[in-house]
Amino acid sequence: MKLPQIDYTAHLAYGGLFEKPTLGLRAKAFVRMAPALTRFTILEARALAGRTWARLGKQAPRPAHADVLRRDGIVVLRVGSNLRARIKAAVDLHLAKLGKRLASIAPADMAYEDAQLALARTDAPEVFAAVEEMLEIHGALDLVREYLPGRGKVKAITLQWNRAGETHWSNKFADLEAINSTAEYLHVDTGTGVFKAIYYVSDEVTVESGAFSYVVGSNNRYTSLIDRLIRSAADRSGIGSTDREDRRMFNALPRFFQRKADFGFDVIDEAAEPLKARERV
């Protein structure tokens, strides 16, 4: 399973739109990306050292769901009604705060960040406690400890409230006519040492109401360390954005560095169909 290989030199929104970049612009583009590249190199080195150290220690029995996670890259679990009620009670106040903010923003005018509210453990201890209990009961933290020995607490919780009519995730080439992505929002999470858990506060989750989707088994695709570093750095630095000026800068990067974690918006042909065929909602 491979990610689409995008030829940005010929892409209508990149090399096909902008003039050949000058040496100065190429240097500027690389300098913009360099700090993020350095940061992720350090994080990868730390993660590698942690995994190596863990292998030298006593190996705990494999936790439940480990085989499913290794095969599919995700484990789907249902939470009981009592725990759901506790989590809902814990997040209600924070959801009300987020809802008040959203009431003043029309869905069509929203940015991705507008729909989110980051919670700190000091301000929302009851939320962290309830979520950690849920993850512990269902064996999710045991899975984390298998990959990240010594870990077992939630680092960050973000509430996200999406509404019908949002457009921030689509039509990324608004400055160009007749160029549309065939794989909008298809992306890879390339960060290291991170596990993500998605919990639905809503009682009903459907395709229409914004259910999460993923490509089954894509965690087992071949990926090199260099590839992960470059894709992570492109997104972290912002040079991987589809804004016109960012596209001009990205186009100035050496071809070897023209890779993104958030690549789906740039796919305008059928190259992502093999991935989409394995998508599960």
Side-chain angles (χ1 to χ4, degrees):
M1 187 179 301
K2 296 182 179 179
L3 300 184
Q5 302 300 304
I6 302 173
D7 183 1
Y8 285 99
T9 303
H11 198 292
L12 297 176
Y14 291 86
L17 175 65
F18 302 111
E19 295 180 356
K20 184 178 179 179
T22 64
L23 186 61
L25 184 60
R26 289 187 184 278
K28 185 178 179 181
F30 189 76
V31 167
R32 179 176 173 184
M33 192 173 173
L37 199 57
T38 301
R39 177 180 185 273
F40 282 107
T41 299
I42 294 171
L43 290 176
E44 283 280 359
R46 287 173 55 187
L48 177 60
R51 290 194 296 269
T52 301
W53 178 259
R55 291 192 187 101
L56 299 177
K58 183 179 179 180
Q59 298 300 308
R62 297 200 72 202
H65 315 303
D67 292 336
V68 175
L69 181 65
R70 188 178 296 277
R71 183 192 69 209
D72 295 344
I74 192 169
V75 175
V76 182
L77 302 169
R78 293 188 179 276
V79 180
S81 57
N82 289 341
L83 192 50
R84 283 186 59 79
R86 181 182 167 192
I87 294 175
K88 185 177 186 305
V91 301
D92 269 350
L93 178 64
H94 306 284
L95 283 174
K97 180 179 179 181
L98 179 56
K100 184 177 180 180
R101 181 213 293 172
L102 292 177
S104 63
I105 309 174
D109 297 331
M110 281 179 56
Y112 176 75
E113 297 79 8
D114 291 332
Q116 296 185 327
L117 178 65
L119 301 182
R121 187 179 290 271
T122 52
D123 298 326
E126 72 288 350
V127 179
F128 278 78
V131 169
E132 284 176 348
E133 180 180 340
M134 172 187 68
L135 296 176
E136 193 72 77
I137 289 174
H138 287 281
L141 292 184
D142 287 335
L143 288 173
V144 172
R145 295 179 189 116
E146 183 183 18
Y147 288 88
L148 305 172
R151 307 291 178 87
K153 286 191 174 182
V154 175
K155 182 179 181 181
I157 293 178
T158 301
L159 296 180
Q160 183 164 319
W161 189 336
N162 292 109
R163 301 177 295 168
E166 294 177 16
T167 59
H168 55 81
W169 53 271
S170 62
N171 192 23
K172 289 293 185 174
F173 303 125
D175 60 315
L176 300 171
E177 293 184 5
I179 298 183
N180 295 297
S181 167
T182 58
E184 285 182 331
Y185 206 55
L186 188 62
H187 66 279
V188 291
D189 289 337
T190 55
T192 187
V194 177
F195 267 71
K196 289 187 176 181
I198 297 174
Y199 173 80
Y200 291 107
V201 179
S202 312
D203 290 326
E204 294 294 332
V205 181
T206 65
V207 174
E208 291 75 20
S209 64
F212 177 73
S213 65
Y214 60 99
V215 178
V216 179
S218 56
N219 56 303
N220 293 316
R221 70 182 179 83
Y222 170 74
T223 177
S224 68
L225 171 61
I226 296 298
D227 185 74
R228 291 202 308 274
L229 290 175
I230 293 174
R231 291 183 188 276
S232 297
D235 280 22
R236 178 78 178 189
S237 65
I239 202 170
S241 161
T242 54
D243 290 346
R244 187 182 179 95
E245 181 57 24
D246 290 327
R247 297 203 315 267
R248 188 173 75 91
M249 294 283 285
F250 187 83
N251 185 61
L253 287 171
R255 189 166 184 171
F256 181 77
F257 288 93
Q258 289 182 336
R259 316 181 202 191
K260 300 181 182 183
D262 204 2
F263 64 87
F265 295 113
D266 292 334
V267 179
I268 56 177
D269 54 20
E270 304 305 310
E273 292 308 309
L275 291 176
K276 291 164 65 178
R278 293 179 61 87
E279 184 179 21
R280 182 182 298 170
V281 178

